[in-house]
Amino acid sequence: MISSSARLLCCGLAASAASAFHANHLHLLQATRPYSQRQLVVLSNSATEAEEYVMKEFPTAWDLLQRNNDVMKKMNKAELGFTIFAPNEAAFKSLGDKRNGQLKDVRNEEVVEKIAAYHIVAEPVTADQLFNSGGIVTEGGEVPAERSVSGGLFGLGGKEDGGVSLRGSKVVNSFEFGDKAEKLCIVHEMDGLISPSILWRYADQLRIPGST
């Protein structure tokens, strides 16, 4: 793992550039476009602003993250900031009734905690860094990253669209919250969960085999 961030997996890809926009309290990057340099809005408390934004815009993702208290505590204590990969509401809807029910089932607490952990990094990871990495090390484990592709048929003939995907889920938008203490908190909106699909095998069981 070679990168300016210990959480990034290097793949040697070149950087790209572009434009961004948002209102007074946050900065929005369109992940489906090339990235650009940007100035962050100064906020009184970037962590609070970021968490409130996730609670409001991605309530189901926030409920999922709250299921892992240890990871949330680590995130909140992170001195430099944190990163949240927040699946949007459509992402959860696409899971279907069965898996959404499993996320709420108390028997699956350990599985849900693990799924939640894959969506948090206890340090800031920008969209640019994701774009130029081979993956990211989350609190749950490693997640591969690759340039996202649009078009084509059955995975063939598509072209890179300037964005990035993590374990097949695309970064839709990225929101950066900075404060006077130079703490940076980042929320990446995802169109799907980025935890390993194998975790669903252990749903409806009392514990994940081999776990402690």
Side-chain angles (χ1 to χ4, degrees):
M1 301 175 191
I2 305 171
S3 172
S4 58
S5 169
R7 295 284 182 170
L8 289 170
L9 305 178
C10 181
C11 67
L13 298 176
S16 136
S19 63
F21 134 90
H22 211 337
N24 294 329
H25 292 294
L26 54 88
H27 190 77
L28 167 64
L29 294 174
Q30 293 291 347
T32 54
R33 302 173 184 172
Y35 304 129
S36 70
Q37 294 181 344
R38 57 229 180 243
Q39 293 183 345
L40 301 181
V41 176
V42 176
L43 303 174
S44 58
N45 188 324
S46 60
T48 299
E49 293 280 349
E51 291 179 10
E52 289 180 349
Y53 188 78
V54 175
M55 280 188 274
K56 179 181 178 181
E57 300 297 330
F58 311 109
T60 307
W62 182 251
D63 289 343
L64 172 65
L65 299 179
Q66 293 295 303
R67 301 281 290 279
N68 193 320
N69 291 327
D70 291 339
V71 168
M72 290 297 292
K73 288 178 181 178
K74 184 175 180 179
M75 182 186 82
N76 289 322
K77 291 180 180 179
E79 294 182 0
L80 298 178
F82 55 76
T83 303
I84 294 175
F85 296 97
N88 55 31
E89 294 303 292
F92 285 99
K93 186 176 181 180
S94 69
L95 289 177
D97 293 339
K98 179 180 179 180
R99 286 190 172 179
N100 276 294
Q102 288 173 327
L103 289 175
K104 299 175 182 177
D105 193 324
V106 293
R107 293 177 299 172
N108 300 326
E109 200 64 32
E110 187 177 0
V111 172
V112 174
E113 286 179 0
K114 190 67 173 178
I115 290 174
Y118 271 96
H119 294 80
I120 292 178
V121 179
E123 65 182 70
V125 180
T126 68
D128 288 355
Q129 289 174 317
L130 284 176
F131 188 74
N132 294 294
S133 75
I136 184 73
V137 181
T138 70
E139 293 304 315
E142 293 183 11
V143 178
E146 58 186 2
R147 303 288 177 88
S148 59
V149 174
S150 296
L153 185 64
F154 301 116
L156 300 175
K159 295 183 178 180
E160 290 186 6
D161 55 20
V164 63
S165 63
L166 302 174
R167 210 185 297 277
S169 296
K170 286 188 176 182
V171 178
V172 180
N173 292 309
S174 294
F175 308 86
E176 297 187 358
F177 303 78
D179 64 18
K180 294 178 181 179
E182 297 183 357
K183 188 173 185 177
L184 179 60
C185 299
I186 301 174
V187 178
H188 297 294
E189 177 186 356
M190 307 300 300
D191 70 357
L193 275 66
I194 66 172
S195 47
S197 58
I198 194 174
L199 288 175
W200 293 105
R201 291 187 184 182
Y202 306 116
D204 303 330
Q205 299 183 31
L206 292 179
R207 64 194 300 272
I208 299 175
S211 63
T212 55

